[in-house]
Amino acid sequence: MRTRPMLIATLLSATAVLSACGGGSDAPTAPATATVRIAGFKFKPANVTVKAGGTVRFTNDDRAEHTATMSGRLDTGTLRMGQSKAVVLRRPGTFVYRCDFHPFMTGEIVVK
């Protein structure tokens, strides 16, 4: 008869440990949106993560014109100072983009 209470206590303890670890359904998910500011000839932040179907908004805070471009996947067009453009990324993966005018400016978007 002692076996049953001990078994119940063990199961409750295991459940508590698994809950504390964060099960698969409670794991953090990627945000639906991200914002990238262009300032000082840099994408800030240079790396962002969004969920599939999520939106990344680029805003140019520089006096110079910039783009955020990735062949066939992402193109904000020319952004003048103060202009913004949002893009939707539907396919999961890691995508590197650049500014057409300043190729040394690069960033990365992870779509989950």
CSV table of all heavy atoms in Angstrom, one decimal, residues 7 10 14 22 29 33 35 39 44 48-49 60 63 65 75 78-79 82-83 91 99-101 103 107 110:
chain,number,residue,atom,x,y,z
A,7,LEU,N,4.5,6.4,-5.6
A,7,LEU,CA,4.4,6.5,-7.0
A,7,LEU,C,3.7,7.8,-7.4
A,7,LEU,O,4.2,8.6,-8.3
A,7,LEU,CB,3.6,5.4,-7.6
A,7,LEU,CG,3.3,5.4,-9.1
A,7,LEU,CD1,4.6,5.4,-9.9
A,7,LEU,CD2,2.4,4.3,-9.6
A,10,THR,N,6.2,10.6,-6.8
A,10,THR,CA,7.2,10.6,-7.8
A,10,THR,C,6.7,11.3,-9.1
A,10,THR,O,7.4,12.1,-9.7
A,10,THR,CB,7.7,9.2,-8.1
A,10,THR,OG1,8.2,8.7,-6.9
A,10,THR,CG2,8.8,9.2,-9.2
A,14,ALA,N,8.0,14.7,-10.9
A,14,ALA,CA,8.5,14.7,-12.3
A,14,ALA,C,7.7,15.7,-13.1
A,14,ALA,O,8.3,16.5,-13.9
A,14,ALA,CB,8.4,13.3,-12.9
A,22,GLY,N,10.1,24.1,-19.0
A,22,GLY,CA,9.4,24.8,-20.1
A,22,GLY,C,9.2,23.8,-21.2
A,22,GLY,O,10.1,23.5,-22.0
A,29,THR,N,8.5,32.1,-28.6
A,29,THR,CA,8.4,32.1,-30.0
A,29,THR,C,9.0,33.4,-30.6
A,29,THR,O,9.2,34.4,-29.8
A,29,THR,CB,6.9,32.0,-30.4
A,29,THR,OG1,6.2,33.1,-29.9
A,29,THR,CG2,6.3,30.7,-30.0
A,33,THR,N,6.9,41.1,-35.3
A,33,THR,CA,7.5,42.3,-35.9
A,33,THR,C,8.9,42.6,-35.4
A,33,THR,O,9.2,42.2,-34.2
A,33,THR,CB,6.6,43.5,-35.7
A,33,THR,OG1,6.5,43.7,-34.3
A,33,THR,CG2,5.2,43.3,-36.3
A,35,THR,N,11.9,46.0,-35.8
A,35,THR,CA,12.2,47.3,-36.3
A,35,THR,C,13.7,47.4,-36.5
A,35,THR,O,14.5,47.1,-35.6
A,35,THR,CB,11.7,48.4,-35.4
A,35,THR,OG1,10.3,48.3,-35.3
A,35,THR,CG2,12.1,49.8,-36.0
A,39,ALA,N,21.2,54.1,-39.3
A,39,ALA,CA,21.8,55.3,-38.7
A,39,ALA,C,23.3,55.1,-38.7
A,39,ALA,O,23.8,54.0,-38.4
A,39,ALA,CB,21.3,55.6,-37.3
A,44,LYS,N,20.6,48.9,-37.5
A,44,LYS,CA,20.6,48.8,-36.0
A,44,LYS,C,19.2,48.3,-35.6
A,44,LYS,O,18.2,49.0,-35.7
A,44,LYS,CB,20.9,50.1,-35.4
A,44,LYS,CG,22.3,50.7,-35.7
A,44,LYS,CD,22.5,52.0,-35.0
A,44,LYS,CE,23.9,52.6,-35.3
A,44,LYS,NZ,24.1,53.8,-34.6
A,48,VAL,N,18.1,40.5,-36.6
A,48,VAL,CA,16.7,40.4,-36.0
A,48,VAL,C,16.1,39.1,-36.3
A,48,VAL,O,16.5,38.4,-37.3
A,48,VAL,CB,15.8,41.5,-36.5
A,48,VAL,CG1,16.3,42.9,-36.1
A,48,VAL,CG2,15.6,41.5,-38.0
A,49,THR,N,15.2,38.7,-35.5
A,49,THR,CA,14.4,37.4,-35.7
A,49,THR,C,12.9,37.7,-35.7
A,49,THR,O,12.5,38.5,-34.8
A,49,THR,CB,14.8,36.4,-34.6
A,49,THR,OG1,16.2,36.2,-34.6
A,49,THR,CG2,14.0,35.1,-34.7
A,60,ASN,N,15.0,54.9,-42.2
A,60,ASN,CA,16.2,55.6,-42.4
A,60,ASN,C,16.4,56.9,-41.6
A,60,ASN,O,15.6,57.8,-41.8
A,60,ASN,CB,16.4,55.9,-43.9
A,60,ASN,CG,17.7,56.5,-44.2
A,60,ASN,OD1,18.6,56.6,-43.4
A,60,ASN,ND2,17.9,57.0,-45.5
A,63,ARG,N,21.1,61.0,-43.2
A,63,ARG,CA,20.9,62.0,-44.3
A,63,ARG,C,21.1,61.3,-45.7
A,63,ARG,O,20.4,61.7,-46.6
A,63,ARG,CB,21.9,63.1,-44.2
A,63,ARG,CG,21.6,64.0,-43.0
A,63,ARG,CD,22.5,65.2,-43.0
A,63,ARG,NE,22.3,66.0,-41.8
A,63,ARG,CZ,21.6,67.2,-41.8
A,63,ARG,NH1,21.1,67.6,-42.9
A,63,ARG,NH2,21.4,67.8,-40.7
A,65,GLU,N,20.8,58.4,-48.6
A,65,GLU,CA,19.8,57.4,-49.0
A,65,GLU,C,20.3,56.0,-48.8
A,65,GLU,O,21.5,55.8,-49.0
A,65,GLU,CB,19.4,57.6,-50.5
A,65,GLU,CG,18.7,59.0,-50.7
A,65,GLU,CD,18.4,59.2,-52.2
A,65,GLU,OE1,19.0,58.5,-53.1
A,65,GLU,OE2,17.6,60.1,-52.5
A,75,ASP,N,13.3,44.0,-50.7
A,75,ASP,CA,13.8,45.3,-51.3
A,75,ASP,C,12.9,46.4,-50.8
A,75,ASP,O,11.7,46.5,-51.2
A,75,ASP,CB,13.7,45.2,-52.9
A,75,ASP,CG,14.3,46.4,-53.5
A,75,ASP,OD1,14.9,47.2,-52.8
A,75,ASP,OD2,14.3,46.5,-54.8
A,78,THR,N,14.6,52.8,-52.4
A,78,THR,CA,15.4,53.8,-51.9
A,78,THR,C,14.6,54.5,-50.7
A,78,THR,O,13.5,54.9,-50.9
A,78,THR,CB,15.8,54.9,-52.9
A,78,THR,OG1,16.5,54.2,-53.9
A,78,THR,CG2,16.6,56.0,-52.3
A,79,LEU,N,15.3,54.5,-49.6
A,79,LEU,CA,14.7,55.2,-48.4
A,79,LEU,C,15.5,56.5,-48.1
A,79,LEU,O,16.7,56.5,-47.9
A,79,LEU,CB,14.8,54.3,-47.2
A,79,LEU,CG,14.0,53.0,-47.2
A,79,LEU,CD1,14.3,52.2,-45.9
A,79,LEU,CD2,12.5,53.3,-47.3
A,82,GLY,N,14.2,59.8,-42.9
A,82,GLY,CA,12.8,59.8,-42.3
A,82,GLY,C,11.8,58.9,-42.9
A,82,GLY,O,10.7,58.7,-42.4
A,83,GLN,N,12.2,58.2,-44.0
A,83,GLN,CA,11.2,57.3,-44.6
A,83,GLN,C,11.4,55.9,-44.0
A,83,GLN,O,12.4,55.5,-43.6
A,83,GLN,CB,11.5,57.2,-46.2
A,83,GLN,CG,11.0,58.4,-46.9
A,83,GLN,CD,11.2,58.3,-48.4
A,83,GLN,OE1,12.2,57.7,-48.9
A,83,GLN,NE2,10.2,58.7,-49.1
A,91,ARG,N,8.9,32.9,-45.7
A,91,ARG,CA,9.6,31.6,-45.7
A,91,ARG,C,10.7,31.6,-44.6
A,91,ARG,O,11.5,32.5,-44.5
A,91,ARG,CB,10.3,31.4,-47.0
A,91,ARG,CG,10.7,30.0,-47.2
A,91,ARG,CD,11.4,29.8,-48.6
A,91,ARG,NE,12.8,29.7,-48.3
A,91,ARG,CZ,13.8,30.1,-49.1
A,91,ARG,NH1,13.5,30.7,-50.2
A,91,ARG,NH2,15.0,30.0,-48.8
A,99,CYS,N,22.8,47.2,-48.2
A,99,CYS,CA,22.4,48.5,-48.8
A,99,CYS,C,23.0,48.6,-50.2
A,99,CYS,O,24.2,48.4,-50.4
A,99,CYS,CB,22.9,49.7,-48.0
A,99,CYS,SG,22.5,51.3,-48.8
A,100,ASP,N,22.1,48.8,-51.2
A,100,ASP,CA,22.6,48.9,-52.6
A,100,ASP,C,23.7,50.0,-52.8
A,100,ASP,O,24.6,49.9,-53.6
A,100,ASP,CB,21.5,49.1,-53.6
A,100,ASP,CG,20.7,47.8,-53.9
A,100,ASP,OD1,21.3,46.7,-53.7
A,100,ASP,OD2,19.6,47.9,-54.3
A,101,PHE,N,23.5,51.1,-52.1
A,101,PHE,CA,24.4,52.2,-52.2
A,101,PHE,C,25.7,52.1,-51.4
A,101,PHE,O,26.7,52.7,-51.8
A,101,PHE,CB,23.7,53.5,-51.8
A,101,PHE,CG,22.4,53.8,-52.5
A,101,PHE,CD1,21.2,54.0,-51.9
A,101,PHE,CD2,22.4,54.0,-53.9
A,101,PHE,CE1,20.0,54.3,-52.6
A,101,PHE,CE2,21.3,54.3,-54.6
A,101,PHE,CZ,20.1,54.4,-53.9
A,103,PRO,N,27.5,48.9,-50.0
A,103,PRO,CA,27.5,47.4,-49.8
A,103,PRO,C,28.2,46.9,-48.6
A,103,PRO,O,28.0,45.8,-48.2
A,103,PRO,CB,28.3,46.9,-51.1
A,103,PRO,CG,28.2,48.0,-52.0
A,103,PRO,CD,28.1,49.3,-51.3
A,107,GLY,N,23.1,43.3,-43.0
A,107,GLY,CA,22.3,42.8,-41.8
A,107,GLY,C,21.8,41.4,-42.1
A,107,GLY,O,22.0,40.8,-43.2
A,110,VAL,N,16.6,36.4,-39.3
A,110,VAL,CA,16.2,35.0,-39.1
A,110,VAL,C,14.7,34.9,-39.1
A,110,VAL,O,14.1,35.5,-38.2
A,110,VAL,CB,16.9,34.4,-37.8
A,110,VAL,CG1,16.4,33.0,-37.6
A,110,VAL,CG2,18.4,34.5,-37.9
